[in-house]
Amino acid sequence: MTHPSSSFSTIRLKPKSNARAIRHGAPWVYDNELVMDRRTKSIPAGSIARLEDEERRFLALVAVNPNSRIVARVLDRDPDAQIDQAWFEARLTAALAHRETLFDQPFYRLVHAEADGLPGVVIDRFGDTAVVQPNAAWADVMIAPLCAALAKVAGLSTVVMNGTGRARSLEGLDEKTDIIMGEAPEPIAVSMNGATYMADIMGGQKTGLFYDQRPNHAFTQRLAKGKRVLDVFSHVGGFALASLSGGATQAVAVDSSASALALAEAGAAAMGASDRLIIRKGDAFDMMAALREEGELFDVVICDPPAFAPSKNTLEKGLRAYERVARMAAPLVKEGGYLGLCSCSHAADLEKFRSACNRGIGRAARSAQLIHTGFAGADHPLMPQLAESGYLKALFYRLMP
């Protein structure tokens, strides 16, 4: 699908909207910043349009979705750009060059949405397989040229579209998973920091594996050597398997998903570490309470829960949940041991998240040093104008004797 610029609709900022922010790189335009007349509201979701300021000066080519709070997403600042397969190939080639600079093996986040110039598009690569999440309407409409460009640029044999999750519902999009190219893959063995993870491309959460924690797994390995580790909200064994690879004597993985824990066990087996991994299936809070009743203490405890505060509306409730995690995890750490607390909620900024964790540790009657703050890896670049791209925070504490 090619979009010649002459055929584009035009949308316009309201007189008091901040056109300068768009000119300086802001990637989103909200419904309250635009003239939302009948003509604009009738533009089909996923269409490309010309964005102009109040004086009808061109600002950008944008993807439009009148059904979303984010009505316009900036695609290109060239008024003559053709949004077609060649355009996708140029964006993907730039994204690939950065990842190939970072990594020796083709296992990484290849596209991190707006920060890579592809708004709402997330692509994780697993060797010659990639999983595409088109989380914006325009990417859904243009999935064919996007995936054709992806296969060509990265030399892939399999491309899977994972159209699930909260972001799509906010765009008014249906949930669907589809094999765009190739065959449905079996779980794929992925090596990170010397650990082996099994990524379930078709049945797992999101794209099947969370690459964003790679640098925090590596930091945890330094704490875990010769130690006993508890990994709560373990998913497919994230911090547990990293710890075992780093020389932990034992890792206990807690998760509510039997299928995720089965993948953790498969990863441990592939590493030859089955004898050092213990799994406990159940609700994380229930399991932490049970471990405390059993008198269990660990040298290192890591908690990496799902997003408790995915939006501003859920922020206060989410912060209370993060505080509760810290309060329940801190008593499980030996004196002088380490506690890692993670958040993937973009609505909870670093300061709010840190305050919630500090309160929880204090309410557990423990005192702690904050020794390290971690973020997502360099394959998850931040867009300076978009706070949401810096969603992942990891706080590492040493609990004082």
Side-chain angles (χ1 to χ4, degrees):
M1 182 186 296
T2 300
H3 287 286
S5 58
S6 59
S7 69
F8 294 149
S9 302
T10 298
I11 62 174
R12 192 164 294 120
L13 291 180
K14 288 178 178 176
K16 293 190 177 176
S17 294
N18 189 357
R20 183 181 296 172
I22 302 296
R23 290 194 178 94
H24 290 178
W28 292 349
V29 187
Y30 289 93
D31 54 2
N32 60 353
E33 299 176 287
L34 289 163
V35 177
M36 292 298 293
D37 55 18
R38 189 170 59 192
R39 187 179 53 81
T40 300
K41 289 178 180 176
S42 68
I43 296 174
S47 299
I48 312 299
R50 293 169 56 89
L51 174 67
E52 295 180 349
D53 66 13
E54 60 176 300
E55 296 176 6
R56 299 177 183 262
R57 291 175 296 198
F58 175 82
L59 290 170
L61 292 180
V62 295
V64 177
N65 184 355
N67 307 319
S68 171
R69 281 266 357 256
I70 305 167
V71 174
R73 298 171 186 259
V74 173
L75 297 179
D76 206 302
R77 296 174 191 282
D78 176 1
D80 298 317
Q82 302 288 317
I83 310 299
D84 54 14
Q85 184 175 328
W87 183 88
F88 280 114
E89 287 175 14
R91 297 287 163 110
L92 291 164
T93 298
L96 180 62
H98 171 54
R99 276 66 182 186
E100 289 184 334
T101 300
L102 296 173
F103 301 108
D104 295 330
Q105 298 298 318
F107 296 90
Y108 39 68
R109 173 147 295 179
L110 176 56
V111 169
H112 194 51
E114 277 76 359
D116 282 302
L118 291 168
V121 178
V122 169
I123 303 175
D124 281 348
R125 182 175 187 176
F126 303 89
D128 61 2
T129 296
V131 181
V132 180
Q133 289 185 289
N135 293 329
W138 80 280
D140 221 42
V141 169
M142 299 197 71
I143 192 70
L146 166 59
C147 290
L150 173 63
K152 180 179 175 182
V153 168
L156 303 174
S157 63
T158 301
V159 178
V160 175
M161 184 190 110
N162 182 325
T164 62
R166 178 178 174 273
R168 283 179 66 86
S169 65
L170 293 175
E171 285 275 298
L173 301 172
D174 295 335
E175 291 212 350
K176 56 183 175 180
T177 299
D178 197 13
I179 299 162
I180 304 292
M181 189 179 102
E183 303 284 323
E186 295 292 315
I188 296 170
V190 177
S191 178
M192 282 198 294
N193 299 309
T196 301
Y197 298 93
M198 302 306 294
D200 184 357
I201 302 300
M202 299 303 295
Q205 292 182 36
K206 299 290 182 72
T207 62
L209 194 67
F210 298 119
Y211 283 130
D212 52 6
Q213 288 284 19
R214 188 183 331 225
N216 300 316
H217 289 162
F219 183 79
T220 301
Q221 287 179 317
R222 294 159 62 184
L223 308 178
K225 186 174 183 180
K227 305 287 178 58
R228 189 161 173 259
V229 177
L230 173 64
D231 178 12
V232 186
F233 307 98
S234 182
H235 188 227
V236 297
F239 285 93
L241 297 182
S243 298
L244 294 176
S245 172
T249 57
Q250 185 186 79
V252 178
V254 172
D255 203 272
S256 60
S257 167
S259 58
L261 288 171
L263 291 167
E265 289 184 298
M271 293 164 56
S274 294
D275 58 327
R276 292 185 289 141
L277 178 70
I278 294 172
I279 63 166
R280 293 189 61 152
K281 178 184 175 298
D283 173 81
F285 294 105
D286 292 345
M287 287 290 130
M288 285 193 283
L291 287 165
R292 188 171 184 190
E293 281 187 18
E294 293 164 21
E296 289 277 17
L297 287 172
F298 297 85
D299 301 292
V300 180
V301 175
I302 308 289
C303 298
D304 183 18
F308 286 145
S311 66
K312 288 179 181 176
N313 294 339
T314 57
L315 177 59
E316 291 310 315
K317 182 180 177 184
L319 291 172
R320 288 194 298 273
Y322 288 123
E323 179 181 327
R324 185 182 176 209
V325 169
R327 177 171 57 81
M328 296 189 71
L332 298 172
V333 183
K334 289 181 180 177
E335 290 188 353
Y338 297 97
L339 173 62
L341 300 169
C342 307
S343 165
C344 57
S345 299
H346 66 75
D349 65 24
L350 178 59
E351 185 179 352
K352 290 185 176 72
F353 175 59
R354 189 169 53 214
S355 295
C357 293
N358 293 346
R359 282 195 305 273
I361 293 169
R363 287 185 64 197
R366 300 295 298 270
S367 58
Q369 304 165 312
L370 180 60
I371 61 165
H372 177 69
T373 302
F375 302 97
D379 54 342
H380 292 64
L382 299 183
M383 187 171 198
Q385 303 87 349
L386 196 63
E388 286 83 351
S389 61
Y391 63 99
L392 182 68
K393 286 83 60 179
L395 304 176
F396 291 88
Y397 295 87
R398 179 172 179 263
L399 296 202
M400 302 300 289

